[in-house]
Amino acid sequence: MTNKEKNSEPVKETSNFGETHSYFTKNVLPRSMKAHKYKVSMPNSYIHNQDNTFVLVTSGTGTITVNGVDYRLEPDTLISLGCFHVYRFTPDEGQVLKITEARINTGAYLYLIANPYFKIDKFTVPSEPPILKLSGLMKEVAYQAMEGICTECVSDNSDKYNMCFCYITDLFAIVNAPKKS
């Protein structure tokens, strides 16, 4: 071994989030982020969810059946589905549901829960999926986040997974925002 090899420091791989977050960007942040837009014109087959999934209904009306329970859908509805939910969409007669969907791995979701920047006083994992009718700023943020995720997923940007994580953070914040009494 040469003196140069003995004295050289190992190269540190850091993330854009800073050196302390390298563990998370290498091991937790999504590396197989999936996002897409699609239309549902008739009841679809049940989907066995293995990821944490955000669903945004952009147009149409119908229902989502999650674990055997029906929930109403209309435009501007945001749904957060954890792992192991079984679900399907059924549009109302004559309707087409337009859906934008983003999926992240469970490790990224757990990191979001543990994130010290979120001030969630009483975090719980509800037995029913959070389903929110959005308006105003929350609606704008959700649409921009979903569009950003869809754009980044097909880009060649070397930072696309970090960007997707930031957009997912926006969706997570919407779902966990304090509810108005």
Side-chain angles (χ1 to χ4, degrees), residues 73-139:
L73 296 177
E74 57 187 57
D76 310 326
T77 301
L78 179 65
I79 306 153
S80 177
L81 296 168
C83 292
F84 311 117
H85 286 296
V86 178
Y87 69 98
R88 75 182 272 178
F89 296 105
T90 304
D92 289 340
E93 189 173 332
Q95 291 284 310
V96 174
L97 289 168
K98 290 185 181 176
I99 307 287
T100 304
E101 185 176 277
R103 296 174 172 271
I104 62 170
N105 63 24
T106 303
Y109 180 76
L110 293 174
Y111 177 68
L112 282 169
I113 293 169
N115 189 327
Y117 303 109
F118 286 110
K119 303 297 183 215
I120 302 171
D121 292 333
K122 295 179 183 176
F123 182 79
T124 60
V125 178
S127 60
E128 295 183 26
I131 299 177
L132 306 162
K133 173 66 174 145
L134 302 174
S135 63
L137 181 59
M138 297 291 197
K139 174 183 165 182

Side-chain angles (χ1 to χ4, degrees), residues 41-53:
S41 58
M42 56 190 236
N44 64 338
S45 299
Y46 280 95
I47 299 166
H48 296 269
N49 198 32
Q50 296 180 8
D51 299 308
N52 286 278
T53 304

Side-chain angles (χ1 to χ4, degrees), residues 20-178:
T20 59
H21 294 289
S22 292
Y23 170 81
F24 294 102
T25 56
K26 287 184 209 170
N27 300 303
V28 176
L29 291 181
R31 290 289 181 229
S32 62
M33 170 69 73
K34 296 176 184 140
H36 64 285
K37 297 177 182 184
Y38 58 98
K39 297 176 183 177
V40 179
S41 58
M42 56 190 236
N44 64 338
S45 299
Y46 280 95
I47 299 166
H48 296 269
N49 198 32
Q50 296 180 8
D51 299 308
N52 286 278
T53 304
F54 289 96
V55 175
L56 180 63
V57 178
T58 58
S59 72
T61 60
T63 58
I64 182 172
T65 304
V66 181
N67 304 329
V69 179
D70 290 338
Y71 301 92
R72 267 319 279 155
L73 296 177
E74 57 187 57
D76 310 326
T77 301
L78 179 65
I79 306 153
S80 177
L81 296 168
C83 292
F84 311 117
H85 286 296
V86 178
Y87 69 98
R88 75 182 272 178
F89 296 105
T90 304
D92 289 340
E93 189 173 332
Q95 291 284 310
V96 174
L97 289 168
K98 290 185 181 176
I99 307 287
T100 304
E101 185 176 277
R103 296 174 172 271
I104 62 170
N105 63 24
T106 303
Y109 180 76
L110 293 174
Y111 177 68
L112 282 169
I113 293 169
N115 189 327
Y117 303 109
F118 286 110
K119 303 297 183 215
I120 302 171
D121 292 333
K122 295 179 183 176
F123 182 79
T124 60
V125 178
S127 60
E128 295 183 26
I131 299 177
L132 306 162
K133 173 66 174 145
L134 302 174
S135 63
L137 181 59
M138 297 291 197
K139 174 183 165 182
E140 276 185 56
V141 171
Y143 274 79
Q144 289 175 2
M146 283 295 206
E147 193 60 41
I149 294 166
C150 287
T151 300
E152 290 296 335
C153 280
V154 296
S155 80
D156 291 333
N157 178 6
S158 63
D159 202 30
K160 71 181 184 180
Y161 296 114
N162 291 343
M163 292 300 299
C164 285
F165 184 76
C166 290
Y167 289 125
I168 286 289
T169 301
D170 290 341
L171 297 173
F172 182 79
I174 291 169
V175 169
N176 290 288

